[in-house]
Amino acid sequence: MLFSAMVRVCVIGAGAAGVCAARHLLVEPCVDHVDIFEQASQLGGTWVYTEKVGYDDFGLPIHSSMYKSLRTNLPKEIMGFPDFPVPESEKSYLPAKEMLSFLQLYADKHQVTDRINFNHHVNLVIPKAGPSGELWDVSFKNLLNGESETREYDYVFVCNGHYNTPFIPNIPGLKEFQGDVMHSHDYRVPEIFSGKRVLVVGAGPSGMDIALEVTNVAHKVILSHHLKEQPRTVFPDNLTQKPDVKRLDGKKVHFADESEDEVDVVFLCTGYLYNFPFLHESCNISVEDNCVEPLYKHLVNIHHPTMCFIGVPYYVCAFSMFDLQVRYYIRSINGTFSLPSTEEMIAHWEEEKKDRASRGYTKRQAHMMGPDQEKYYASLATEAGTKSLPSVLTKIREESSIRFLHNLKHYRQDVYKIIDDNTYEIVNDAAR
Ligand code: FAD
């Protein structure tokens, strides 16, 4: 092992990613001190349900996009951490509240909770030259007493999540639409759509789920999407599927297939933007069309490798991936392996972009894993000499995603059981 000095680390955010980072950092011998800053009064990030929308008591945008009825869209068997699975229970698909309790349990078990600085909002991160390398100045505000402070660190873990800043698509006529326009970030309960004609734009996990829920109260629901594979899910009679929206005109919707309809609400389930408002421009991270760059392995800030981002890739086994990313990065800190040179990391990232483009991925899909996830996990594990994730996780993820698309109403009744690192069984099969 190479020599490594004792280091001071800052973790920004205490959602699943930040808690996972803290869990490993707190037991890492080369880490002298860890500060974990969380702007909310509790841990869990996304999994904290609140009825509030807009801004919180301190004037910060509400972070969580959680809706009241949410149950996970992946089975609990692949939602745990490698060293801390979700406890046994009858169901595979859990309510958000149970996932939040699980995260709380994980944080308590590893003595993370007591170490979190709650109600601390990070507002600026700037690199600066230190006597023996680069350091970071992190400025934060204690929201309870209004006091601001700046502290110096050797490493920064950015764990602020990326399901909180709504992406608003550029639909002609949207600004002038004569009904209501809303993003799924602000969706909590279906009753707000009672008796209305609702256009749901987007058929990602939230779009499909919410569209189905809204059919219970709305007069009619139009689900507009461009999924390559048509869902075989049988929707209620008051839901129709349409292609992309071409333009809006008053309350009229014109679709790409030249058909038109009239609606009261445009409900955007169009996803989220990566957003790092606290990073000073000298951190050299740009976000354009949801591509965060330049990052080595979607994780390391190439121009300032003492900064990492946990959780950027999506369509992954999230908590397990966070754990692997954290283990990888800590191994680069403690000298188990050395990160490549700046030039090599840039070349790697450029090569990956080229490869993705050649396979038809758009810039907006720069961090989409899906079928690439197993290769991604293996590349992290191999480089850092740490354990990868068992392929059974990705197999279950794939199965669950297919069932989500084609059996939306019932797939959450499936119950999975992991047999070994490669095999699983569906012990209760809703499709049968
Ligand atoms: P977050 O959970 O967003 O946590 C980030 C934390 O950082 C927050 O607590 C926030 O308050 C804090 N923070 C942000 N900025 C600052 C700052 N400046 N200073 C201090 N603190 C800050 N994934 C699944 O695997 N399965 C699912 O079923 C699933 N369902 C989902 C449903 C919905 C509606 C949404 C929105 C997401 C879902 N996800 C699901 C994705 C889920 O968000 C991730 O799995 C994971 O919880 C993200 O964790 P995170 O720590 O990266 O981010």
Side-chain angles (χ1 to χ4, degrees), residues 12-18 37-40 42 44-47 63 65-67 70-74 79 120-122 159-164 206 272 278 310-311 318-319 322:
I12 303 171
F37 296 116
E38 168 53 57
Q39 65 193 13
Q42 68 181 110
T46 291
W47 299 96
H63 183 84
S65 307
M66 189 53 58
Y67 42 97
L70 186 129
R71 280 170 69 195
T72 57
N73 53 38
L74 295 174
M79 290 232 16
H120 279 64
H121 172 68
V122 172
C159 306
N160 66 324
H162 54 88
Y163 294 97
N164 48 76
S206 294
Y272 296 88
F278 45 80
I310 304 300
F319 297 6
F322 298 164

mmCIF file of all heavy atoms in Angstrom, residues 12-18 37-40 42 44-47 63 65-67 70-74 79 120-122 159-164 206 272 278 310-311 318-319 322, ligand 1:
data_model
loop_
_atom_site.group_PDB
_atom_site.id
_atom_site.type_symbol
_atom_site.label_atom_id
_atom_site.label_comp_id
_atom_site.label_asym_id
_atom_site.label_seq_id
_atom_site.Cartn_x
_atom_site.Cartn_y
_atom_site.Cartn_z
ATOM 1 N N ILE A 12 -21.313 16.144 1.412
ATOM 2 C CA ILE A 12 -22.443 17.070 1.227
ATOM 3 C C ILE A 12 -23.701 16.263 0.945
ATOM 4 O O ILE A 12 -23.840 15.660 -0.117
ATOM 5 C CB ILE A 12 -22.165 18.053 0.072
ATOM 6 C CG1 ILE A 12 -20.866 18.819 0.333
ATOM 7 C CG2 ILE A 12 -23.351 19.027 -0.111
ATOM 8 C CD1 ILE A 12 -20.391 19.651 -0.838
ATOM 9 N N GLY A 13 -24.620 16.231 1.898
ATOM 10 C CA GLY A 13 -25.886 15.510 1.740
ATOM 11 C C GLY A 13 -25.911 14.232 2.546
ATOM 12 O O GLY A 13 -24.902 13.520 2.636
ATOM 13 N N ALA A 14 -27.049 13.948 3.166
ATOM 14 C CA ALA A 14 -27.210 12.699 3.926
ATOM 15 C C ALA A 14 -28.438 11.942 3.456
ATOM 16 O O ALA A 14 -29.287 11.525 4.230
ATOM 17 C CB ALA A 14 -27.268 12.980 5.426
ATOM 18 N N GLY A 15 -28.527 11.781 2.135
ATOM 19 C CA GLY A 15 -29.452 10.803 1.568
ATOM 20 C C GLY A 15 -28.729 9.462 1.587
ATOM 21 O O GLY A 15 -27.707 9.299 2.280
ATOM 22 N N ALA A 16 -29.222 8.511 0.816
ATOM 23 C CA ALA A 16 -28.596 7.182 0.812
ATOM 24 C C ALA A 16 -27.119 7.262 0.435
ATOM 25 O O ALA A 16 -26.275 6.564 1.026
ATOM 26 C CB ALA A 16 -29.345 6.281 -0.163
ATOM 27 N N ALA A 17 -26.777 8.123 -0.523
ATOM 28 C CA ALA A 17 -25.382 8.215 -0.987
ATOM 29 C C ALA A 17 -24.476 8.792 0.101
ATOM 30 O O ALA A 17 -23.396 8.251 0.376
ATOM 31 C CB ALA A 17 -25.312 9.057 -2.255
ATOM 32 N N GLY A 18 -24.904 9.887 0.718
ATOM 33 C CA GLY A 18 -24.080 10.529 1.738
ATOM 34 C C GLY A 18 -23.915 9.656 2.974
ATOM 35 O O GLY A 18 -22.831 9.571 3.566
ATOM 36 N N PHE A 37 -22.684 17.287 6.078
ATOM 37 C CA PHE A 37 -23.637 18.401 6.129
ATOM 38 C C PHE A 37 -24.932 18.010 5.420
ATOM 39 O O PHE A 37 -24.914 17.594 4.258
ATOM 40 C CB PHE A 37 -23.054 19.648 5.461
ATOM 41 C CG PHE A 37 -21.838 20.170 6.189
ATOM 42 C CD1 PHE A 37 -20.599 20.185 5.568
ATOM 43 C CD2 PHE A 37 -21.933 20.618 7.490
ATOM 44 C CE1 PHE A 37 -19.470 20.647 6.240
ATOM 45 C CE2 PHE A 37 -20.811 21.086 8.177
ATOM 46 C CZ PHE A 37 -19.586 21.096 7.547
ATOM 47 N N GLU A 38 -26.032 18.168 6.126
ATOM 48 C CA GLU A 38 -27.353 17.861 5.567
ATOM 49 C C GLU A 38 -28.264 19.059 5.851
ATOM 50 O O GLU A 38 -28.456 19.427 7.004
ATOM 51 C CB GLU A 38 -27.910 16.580 6.191
ATOM 52 C CG GLU A 38 -29.382 16.309 5.910
ATOM 53 C CD GLU A 38 -29.755 16.340 4.419
ATOM 54 O OE1 GLU A 38 -29.170 15.577 3.644
ATOM 55 O OE2 GLU A 38 -30.638 17.158 4.042
ATOM 56 N N GLN A 39 -28.836 19.601 4.780
ATOM 57 C CA GLN A 39 -29.652 20.803 4.964
ATOM 58 C C GLN A 39 -30.995 20.514 5.647
ATOM 59 O O GLN A 39 -31.574 21.391 6.276
ATOM 60 C CB GLN A 39 -29.875 21.497 3.615
ATOM 61 C CG GLN A 39 -30.692 20.672 2.643
ATOM 62 C CD GLN A 39 -30.660 21.212 1.218
ATOM 63 O OE1 GLN A 39 -29.852 22.058 0.897
ATOM 64 N NE2 GLN A 39 -31.536 20.717 0.376
ATOM 65 N N ALA A 40 -31.484 19.278 5.523
ATOM 66 C CA ALA A 40 -32.774 18.939 6.141
ATOM 67 C C ALA A 40 -32.575 18.597 7.621
ATOM 68 O O ALA A 40 -31.445 18.472 8.094
ATOM 69 C CB ALA A 40 -33.404 17.758 5.405
ATOM 70 N N GLN A 42 -33.562 15.804 8.894
ATOM 71 C CA GLN A 42 -33.434 14.353 9.029
ATOM 72 C C GLN A 42 -32.715 13.780 7.821
ATOM 73 O O GLN A 42 -32.607 14.445 6.775
ATOM 74 C CB GLN A 42 -34.812 13.700 9.190
ATOM 75 C CG GLN A 42 -35.702 13.769 7.963
ATOM 76 C CD GLN A 42 -37.060 13.133 8.188
ATOM 77 O OE1 GLN A 42 -38.076 13.799 8.249
ATOM 78 N NE2 GLN A 42 -37.091 11.813 8.296
ATOM 79 N N GLY A 44 -32.079 10.806 4.726
ATOM 80 C CA GLY A 44 -32.940 10.020 3.835
ATOM 81 C C GLY A 44 -33.251 10.680 2.498
ATOM 82 O O GLY A 44 -33.690 10.011 1.571
ATOM 83 N N GLY A 45 -33.079 12.010 2.399
ATOM 84 C CA GLY A 45 -33.234 12.710 1.112
ATOM 85 C C GLY A 45 -34.544 12.401 0.417
ATOM 86 O O GLY A 45 -35.638 12.678 0.931
ATOM 87 N N THR A 46 -34.444 11.788 -0.752
ATOM 88 C CA THR A 46 -35.591 11.431 -1.584
ATOM 89 C C THR A 46 -36.703 10.732 -0.806
ATOM 90 O O THR A 46 -37.876 10.906 -1.101
ATOM 91 C CB THR A 46 -35.125 10.462 -2.697
ATOM 92 O OG1 THR A 46 -34.302 11.180 -3.602
ATOM 93 C CG2 THR A 46 -36.271 9.847 -3.455
ATOM 94 N N TRP A 47 -36.328 9.914 0.180
ATOM 95 C CA TRP A 47 -37.302 9.034 0.837
ATOM 96 C C TRP A 47 -38.094 9.723 1.930
ATOM 97 O O TRP A 47 -38.959 9.112 2.563
ATOM 98 C CB TRP A 47 -36.593 7.768 1.349
ATOM 99 C CG TRP A 47 -35.986 7.037 0.182
ATOM 100 C CD1 TRP A 47 -34.684 7.134 -0.242
ATOM 101 C CD2 TRP A 47 -36.653 6.206 -0.761
ATOM 102 N NE1 TRP A 47 -34.502 6.397 -1.388
ATOM 103 C CE2 TRP A 47 -35.700 5.810 -1.724
ATOM 104 C CE3 TRP A 47 -37.970 5.753 -0.888
ATOM 105 C CZ2 TRP A 47 -36.023 4.980 -2.802
ATOM 106 C CZ3 TRP A 47 -38.288 4.924 -1.958
ATOM 107 C CH2 TRP A 47 -37.318 4.547 -2.895
ATOM 108 N N HIS A 63 -36.720 19.613 -1.344
ATOM 109 C CA HIS A 63 -35.816 18.668 -2.005
ATOM 110 C C HIS A 63 -36.546 17.427 -2.533
ATOM 111 O O HIS A 63 -36.342 16.990 -3.656
ATOM 112 C CB HIS A 63 -34.723 18.232 -1.016
ATOM 113 C CG HIS A 63 -33.717 17.316 -1.614
ATOM 114 N ND1 HIS A 63 -32.623 17.765 -2.326
ATOM 115 C CD2 HIS A 63 -33.644 15.961 -1.647
ATOM 116 C CE1 HIS A 63 -31.927 16.739 -2.754
ATOM 117 N NE2 HIS A 63 -32.528 15.620 -2.357
ATOM 118 N N SER A 65 -39.042 14.624 -3.972
ATOM 119 C CA SER A 65 -40.080 14.499 -5.005
ATOM 120 C C SER A 65 -40.997 13.321 -4.686
ATOM 121 O O SER A 65 -41.674 12.804 -5.573
ATOM 122 C CB SER A 65 -39.424 14.254 -6.372
ATOM 123 O OG SER A 65 -38.468 15.235 -6.651
ATOM 124 N N MET A 66 -40.990 12.908 -3.442
ATOM 125 C CA MET A 66 -41.725 11.702 -3.049
ATOM 126 C C MET A 66 -43.233 11.954 -3.022
ATOM 127 O O MET A 66 -43.666 12.983 -2.525
ATOM 128 C CB MET A 66 -41.241 11.288 -1.655
ATOM 129 C CG MET A 66 -41.725 9.950 -1.170
ATOM 130 S SD MET A 66 -41.428 8.587 -2.299
ATOM 131 C CE MET A 66 -39.646 8.615 -2.524
ATOM 132 N N TYR A 67 -44.024 11.044 -3.572
ATOM 133 C CA TYR A 67 -45.472 11.176 -3.461
ATOM 134 C C TYR A 67 -46.008 10.172 -2.438
ATOM 135 O O TYR A 67 -45.342 9.205 -2.083
ATOM 136 C CB TYR A 67 -46.186 11.084 -4.807
ATOM 137 C CG TYR A 67 -45.702 10.033 -5.765
ATOM 138 C CD1 TYR A 67 -46.337 8.799 -5.864
ATOM 139 C CD2 TYR A 67 -44.624 10.296 -6.617
ATOM 140 C CE1 TYR A 67 -45.901 7.844 -6.773
ATOM 141 C CE2 TYR A 67 -44.188 9.346 -7.521
ATOM 142 C CZ TYR A 67 -44.829 8.117 -7.589
ATOM 143 O OH TYR A 67 -44.394 7.171 -8.485
ATOM 144 N N LEU A 70 -46.198 6.261 -2.864
ATOM 145 C CA LEU A 70 -45.102 5.567 -3.544
ATOM 146 C C LEU A 70 -44.654 4.276 -2.874
ATOM 147 O O LEU A 70 -44.429 4.223 -1.671
ATOM 148 C CB LEU A 70 -43.869 6.472 -3.694
ATOM 149 C CG LEU A 70 -42.761 5.808 -4.534
ATOM 150 C CD1 LEU A 70 -42.280 6.708 -5.647
ATOM 151 C CD2 LEU A 70 -41.612 5.310 -3.689
ATOM 152 N N ARG A 71 -44.588 3.249 -3.710
ATOM 153 C CA ARG A 71 -43.887 2.031 -3.312
ATOM 154 C C ARG A 71 -42.709 1.885 -4.268
ATOM 155 O O ARG A 71 -42.784 2.313 -5.417
ATOM 156 C CB ARG A 71 -44.821 0.817 -3.414
ATOM 157 C CG ARG A 71 -45.739 0.728 -2.188
ATOM 158 C CD ARG A 71 -46.796 -0.303 -2.396
ATOM 159 N NE ARG A 71 -46.259 -1.665 -2.422
ATOM 160 C CZ ARG A 71 -46.943 -2.709 -2.865
ATOM 161 N NH1 ARG A 71 -48.165 -2.553 -3.362
ATOM 162 N NH2 ARG A 71 -46.424 -3.914 -2.836
ATOM 163 N N THR A 72 -41.627 1.287 -3.814
ATOM 164 C CA THR A 72 -40.414 1.199 -4.641
ATOM 165 C C THR A 72 -40.743 0.576 -5.998
ATOM 166 O O THR A 72 -41.677 -0.224 -6.112
ATOM 167 C CB THR A 72 -39.339 0.329 -3.957
ATOM 168 O OG1 THR A 72 -39.889 -0.969 -3.702
ATOM 169 C CG2 THR A 72 -38.878 0.964 -2.669
ATOM 170 N N ASN A 73 -39.973 0.972 -7.017
ATOM 171 C CA ASN A 73 -40.184 0.351 -8.324
ATOM 172 C C ASN A 73 -39.192 -0.791 -8.560
ATOM 173 O O ASN A 73 -39.162 -1.380 -9.632
ATOM 174 C CB ASN A 73 -40.126 1.396 -9.453
ATOM 175 C CG ASN A 73 -38.868 2.216 -9.410
ATOM 176 O OD1 ASN A 73 -37.795 1.702 -9.113
ATOM 177 N ND2 ASN A 73 -38.984 3.497 -9.697
ATOM 178 N N LEU A 74 -38.393 -1.065 -7.536
ATOM 179 C CA LEU A 74 -37.494 -2.228 -7.586
ATOM 180 C C LEU A 74 -37.704 -3.033 -6.311
ATOM 181 O O LEU A 74 -37.993 -2.460 -5.253
ATOM 182 C CB LEU A 74 -36.029 -1.766 -7.661
ATOM 183 C CG LEU A 74 -35.632 -1.013 -8.941
ATOM 184 C CD1 LEU A 74 -34.211 -0.490 -8.820
ATOM 185 C CD2 LEU A 74 -35.764 -1.909 -10.169
ATOM 186 N N MET A 79 -32.419 -3.569 -3.234
ATOM 187 C CA MET A 79 -32.400 -2.175 -2.789
ATOM 188 C C MET A 79 -31.549 -1.940 -1.545
ATOM 189 O O MET A 79 -31.444 -0.817 -1.064
ATOM 190 C CB MET A 79 -33.829 -1.683 -2.543
ATOM 191 C CG MET A 79 -34.562 -1.534 -3.842
ATOM 192 S SD MET A 79 -35.360 0.015 -4.188
ATOM 193 C CE MET A 79 -34.771 1.218 -3.120
ATOM 194 N N HIS A 120 -27.768 22.052 8.102
ATOM 195 C CA HIS A 120 -26.573 22.756 7.623
ATOM 196 C C HIS A 120 -26.568 22.721 6.103
ATOM 197 O O HIS A 120 -26.485 21.644 5.507
ATOM 198 C CB HIS A 120 -25.298 22.111 8.164
ATOM 199 C CG HIS A 120 -24.974 22.520 9.565
ATOM 200 N ND1 HIS A 120 -25.795 22.218 10.635
ATOM 201 C CD2 HIS A 120 -23.936 23.238 10.080
ATOM 202 C CE1 HIS A 120 -25.263 22.711 11.739
ATOM 203 N NE2 HIS A 120 -24.139 23.342 11.434
ATOM 204 N N HIS A 121 -26.670 23.901 5.522
ATOM 205 C CA HIS A 121 -26.761 24.019 4.066
ATOM 206 C C HIS A 121 -25.411 24.468 3.497
ATOM 207 O O HIS A 121 -24.893 25.519 3.872
ATOM 208 C CB HIS A 121 -27.854 25.042 3.720
ATOM 209 C CG HIS A 121 -27.912 25.397 2.273
ATOM 210 N ND1 HIS A 121 -28.307 24.507 1.300
ATOM 211 C CD2 HIS A 121 -27.621 26.556 1.623
ATOM 212 C CE1 HIS A 121 -28.271 25.094 0.122
ATOM 213 N NE2 HIS A 121 -27.848 26.334 0.278
ATOM 214 N N VAL A 122 -24.878 23.650 2.605
ATOM 215 C CA VAL A 122 -23.604 24.014 1.957
ATOM 216 C C VAL A 122 -23.908 24.961 0.800
ATOM 217 O O VAL A 122 -24.736 24.650 -0.065
ATOM 218 C CB VAL A 122 -22.878 22.747 1.436
ATOM 219 C CG1 VAL A 122 -21.670 23.122 0.585
ATOM 220 C CG2 VAL A 122 -22.469 21.858 2.602
ATOM 221 N N CYS A 159 -22.800 14.523 -2.598
ATOM 222 C CA CYS A 159 -23.875 13.504 -2.495
ATOM 223 C C CYS A 159 -25.229 14.204 -2.395
ATOM 224 O O CYS A 159 -26.044 13.866 -1.540
ATOM 225 C CB CYS A 159 -23.672 12.636 -1.256
ATOM 226 S SG CYS A 159 -22.060 11.862 -1.125
ATOM 227 N N ASN A 160 -25.456 15.193 -3.268
ATOM 228 C CA ASN A 160 -26.663 16.031 -3.095
ATOM 229 C C ASN A 160 -27.876 15.536 -3.873
ATOM 230 O O ASN A 160 -28.915 16.183 -3.854
ATOM 231 C CB ASN A 160 -26.350 17.489 -3.476
ATOM 232 C CG ASN A 160 -26.043 17.661 -4.950
ATOM 233 O OD1 ASN A 160 -25.422 16.773 -5.546
ATOM 234 N ND2 ASN A 160 -26.462 18.752 -5.538
ATOM 235 N N GLY A 161 -27.758 14.384 -4.561
ATOM 236 C CA GLY A 161 -28.923 13.794 -5.243
ATOM 237 C C GLY A 161 -29.231 14.492 -6.564
ATOM 238 O O GLY A 161 -28.741 15.595 -6.833
ATOM 239 N N HIS A 162 -30.021 13.819 -7.399
ATOM 240 C CA HIS A 162 -30.354 14.445 -8.690
ATOM 241 C C HIS A 162 -31.794 14.182 -9.118
ATOM 242 O O HIS A 162 -32.094 14.018 -10.296
ATOM 243 C CB HIS A 162 -29.360 14.042 -9.786
ATOM 244 C CG HIS A 162 -29.171 12.563 -9.963
ATOM 245 N ND1 HIS A 162 -29.953 11.810 -10.788
ATOM 246 C CD2 HIS A 162 -28.272 11.726 -9.402
ATOM 247 C CE1 HIS A 162 -29.545 10.566 -10.736
ATOM 248 N NE2 HIS A 162 -28.524 10.474 -9.901
ATOM 249 N N TYR A 163 -32.671 14.117 -8.099
ATOM 250 C CA TYR A 163 -34.102 14.009 -8.422
ATOM 251 C C TYR A 163 -34.859 15.134 -7.724
ATOM 252 O O TYR A 163 -35.839 14.908 -7.022
ATOM 253 C CB TYR A 163 -34.652 12.656 -7.967
ATOM 254 C CG TYR A 163 -34.062 11.483 -8.719
ATOM 255 C CD1 TYR A 163 -33.007 10.757 -8.196
ATOM 256 C CD2 TYR A 163 -34.559 11.124 -9.973
ATOM 257 C CE1 TYR A 163 -32.453 9.690 -8.885
ATOM 258 C CE2 TYR A 163 -34.016 10.060 -10.672
ATOM 259 C CZ TYR A 163 -32.969 9.351 -10.123
ATOM 260 O OH TYR A 163 -32.425 8.296 -10.812
ATOM 261 N N ASN A 164 -34.352 16.342 -7.854
ATOM 262 C CA ASN A 164 -35.002 17.451 -7.155
ATOM 263 C C ASN A 164 -35.144 18.730 -7.962
ATOM 264 O O ASN A 164 -35.903 19.605 -7.591
ATOM 265 C CB ASN A 164 -34.279 17.735 -5.830
ATOM 266 C CG ASN A 164 -32.783 17.811 -6.028
ATOM 267 O OD1 ASN A 164 -32.287 18.810 -6.527
ATOM 268 N ND2 ASN A 164 -32.058 16.766 -5.681
ATOM 269 N N SER A 206 -41.902 7.377 -12.813
ATOM 270 C CA SER A 206 -42.904 8.227 -12.160
ATOM 271 C C SER A 206 -44.097 8.470 -13.071
ATOM 272 O O SER A 206 -45.251 8.395 -12.630
ATOM 273 C CB SER A 206 -42.314 9.578 -11.759
ATOM 274 O OG SER A 206 -41.343 9.402 -10.778
ATOM 275 N N TYR A 272 -35.491 15.074 -14.215
ATOM 276 C CA TYR A 272 -34.802 16.061 -13.379
ATOM 277 C C TYR A 272 -33.459 16.462 -13.988
ATOM 278 O O TYR A 272 -32.940 15.777 -14.860
ATOM 279 C CB TYR A 272 -34.587 15.473 -11.976
ATOM 280 C CG TYR A 272 -35.915 15.217 -11.301
ATOM 281 C CD1 TYR A 272 -36.589 14.003 -11.467
ATOM 282 C CD2 TYR A 272 -36.533 16.212 -10.565
ATOM 283 C CE1 TYR A 272 -37.824 13.780 -10.890
ATOM 284 C CE2 TYR A 272 -37.780 15.998 -9.975
ATOM 285 C CZ TYR A 272 -38.411 14.785 -10.144
ATOM 286 O OH TYR A 272 -39.643 14.586 -9.583
ATOM 287 N N PHE A 278 -23.756 24.818 -5.481
ATOM 288 C CA PHE A 278 -22.716 25.242 -4.523
ATOM 289 C C PHE A 278 -21.301 25.116 -5.080
ATOM 290 O O PHE A 278 -20.338 25.497 -4.433
ATOM 291 C CB PHE A 278 -22.850 24.418 -3.229
ATOM 292 C CG PHE A 278 -23.058 22.952 -3.483
ATOM 293 C CD1 PHE A 278 -22.004 22.112 -3.784
ATOM 294 C CD2 PHE A 278 -24.351 22.406 -3.451
ATOM 295 C CE1 PHE A 278 -22.196 20.770 -4.033
ATOM 296 C CE2 PHE A 278 -24.566 21.061 -3.707
ATOM 297 C CZ PHE A 278 -23.483 20.236 -3.997
ATOM 298 N N ILE A 310 -20.985 10.966 -5.742
ATOM 299 C CA ILE A 310 -21.568 9.629 -5.541
ATOM 300 C C ILE A 310 -23.004 9.625 -6.078
ATOM 301 O O ILE A 310 -23.806 10.494 -5.731
ATOM 302 C CB ILE A 310 -21.565 9.243 -4.044
ATOM 303 C CG1 ILE A 310 -20.136 9.331 -3.460
ATOM 304 C CG2 ILE A 310 -22.157 7.842 -3.841
ATOM 305 C CD1 ILE A 310 -19.116 8.432 -4.112
ATOM 306 N N GLY A 311 -23.297 8.668 -6.953
ATOM 307 C CA GLY A 311 -24.687 8.468 -7.380
ATOM 308 C C GLY A 311 -25.087 9.106 -8.689
ATOM 309 O O GLY A 311 -26.282 9.198 -8.969
ATOM 310 N N ALA A 318 -29.155 1.255 -7.113
ATOM 311 C CA ALA A 318 -28.586 2.500 -6.583
ATOM 312 C C ALA A 318 -27.743 2.331 -5.317
ATOM 313 O O ALA A 318 -26.576 2.717 -5.291
ATOM 314 C CB ALA A 318 -29.701 3.510 -6.356
ATOM 315 N N PHE A 319 -28.312 1.765 -4.264
ATOM 316 C CA PHE A 319 -27.577 1.760 -2.991
ATOM 317 C C PHE A 319 -26.317 0.888 -3.087
ATOM 318 O O PHE A 319 -25.274 1.225 -2.523
ATOM 319 C CB PHE A 319 -28.457 1.271 -1.832
ATOM 320 C CG PHE A 319 -29.660 2.136 -1.534
ATOM 321 C CD1 PHE A 319 -30.001 3.214 -2.340
ATOM 322 C CD2 PHE A 319 -30.461 1.872 -0.430
ATOM 323 C CE1 PHE A 319 -31.111 4.014 -2.069
ATOM 324 C CE2 PHE A 319 -31.574 2.668 -0.137
ATOM 325 C CZ PHE A 319 -31.911 3.729 -0.968
ATOM 326 N N PHE A 322 -23.787 2.914 -4.902
ATOM 327 C CA PHE A 322 -23.181 3.944 -4.039
ATOM 328 C C PHE A 322 -22.047 3.308 -3.234
ATOM 329 O O PHE A 322 -20.959 3.862 -3.103
ATOM 330 C CB PHE A 322 -24.200 4.520 -3.040
ATOM 331 C CG PHE A 322 -25.397 5.221 -3.647
ATOM 332 C CD1 PHE A 322 -26.532 5.491 -2.872
ATOM 333 C CD2 PHE A 322 -25.409 5.623 -4.970
ATOM 334 C CE1 PHE A 322 -27.633 6.133 -3.405
ATOM 335 C CE2 PHE A 322 -26.520 6.264 -5.519
ATOM 336 C CZ PHE A 322 -27.633 6.522 -4.730
HETATM 337 P P1 FAD B 1 -31.056 12.188 -2.230
HETATM 338 O O1 FAD B 1 -31.874 11.127 -1.647
HETATM 339 O O2 FAD B 1 -31.730 13.218 -3.055
HETATM 340 O O3 FAD B 1 -30.262 12.890 -1.030
HETATM 341 C C1 FAD B 1 -29.514 14.065 -1.196
HETATM 342 C C2 FAD B 1 -29.438 14.785 0.140
HETATM 343 O O4 FAD B 1 -28.575 15.911 0.003
HETATM 344 C C3 FAD B 1 -30.778 15.310 0.611
HETATM 345 O O5 FAD B 1 -31.040 14.884 1.927
HETATM 346 C C4 FAD B 1 -30.624 16.829 0.531
HETATM 347 O O6 FAD B 1 -31.360 17.517 1.522
HETATM 348 C C5 FAD B 1 -29.128 17.001 0.714
HETATM 349 N N1 FAD B 1 -28.595 18.237 0.120
HETATM 350 C C6 FAD B 1 -28.763 18.658 -1.160
HETATM 351 N N2 FAD B 1 -28.118 19.829 -1.337
HETATM 352 C C7 FAD B 1 -27.521 20.138 -0.165
HETATM 353 C C8 FAD B 1 -26.712 21.227 0.267
HETATM 354 N N3 FAD B 1 -26.396 22.220 -0.552
HETATM 355 N N4 FAD B 1 -26.278 21.243 1.548
HETATM 356 C C9 FAD B 1 -26.604 20.227 2.401
HETATM 357 N N5 FAD B 1 -27.377 19.183 2.057
HETATM 358 C C10 FAD B 1 -27.815 19.126 0.770
HETATM 359 N N6 FAD B 1 -34.397 4.448 -6.492
HETATM 360 C C11 FAD B 1 -34.484 3.114 -6.315
HETATM 361 O O7 FAD B 1 -33.439 2.441 -6.258
HETATM 362 N N7 FAD B 1 -35.698 2.483 -6.199
HETATM 363 C C12 FAD B 1 -36.858 3.173 -6.215
HETATM 364 O O8 FAD B 1 -37.919 2.590 -6.100
HETATM 365 C C13 FAD B 1 -36.798 4.601 -6.386
HETATM 366 N N8 FAD B 1 -37.940 5.331 -6.396
HETATM 367 C C14 FAD B 1 -37.853 6.689 -6.532
HETATM 368 C C15 FAD B 1 -39.011 7.436 -6.542
HETATM 369 C C16 FAD B 1 -38.983 8.808 -6.688
HETATM 370 C C17 FAD B 1 -40.248 9.604 -6.688
HETATM 371 C C18 FAD B 1 -37.730 9.452 -6.840
HETATM 372 C C19 FAD B 1 -37.646 10.939 -7.002
HETATM 373 C C20 FAD B 1 -36.549 8.721 -6.847
HETATM 374 C C21 FAD B 1 -36.595 7.335 -6.687
HETATM 375 N N9 FAD B 1 -35.433 6.562 -6.673
HETATM 376 C C22 FAD B 1 -35.512 5.203 -6.521
HETATM 377 C C23 FAD B 1 -34.118 7.180 -6.822
HETATM 378 C C24 FAD B 1 -33.571 7.618 -5.443
HETATM 379 O O9 FAD B 1 -33.571 8.981 -5.427
HETATM 380 C C25 FAD B 1 -32.196 7.053 -5.230
HETATM 381 O O10 FAD B 1 -32.318 5.652 -5.148
HETATM 382 C C26 FAD B 1 -31.489 7.507 -3.953
HETATM 383 O O11 FAD B 1 -32.334 7.504 -2.838
HETATM 384 C C27 FAD B 1 -30.824 8.841 -4.145
HETATM 385 O O12 FAD B 1 -30.008 9.077 -3.028
HETATM 386 P P2 FAD B 1 -29.015 10.303 -2.970
HETATM 387 O O13 FAD B 1 -28.387 10.272 -1.643
HETATM 388 O O14 FAD B 1 -28.141 10.289 -4.172
HETATM 389 O O15 FAD B 1 -29.921 11.604 -3.154
#
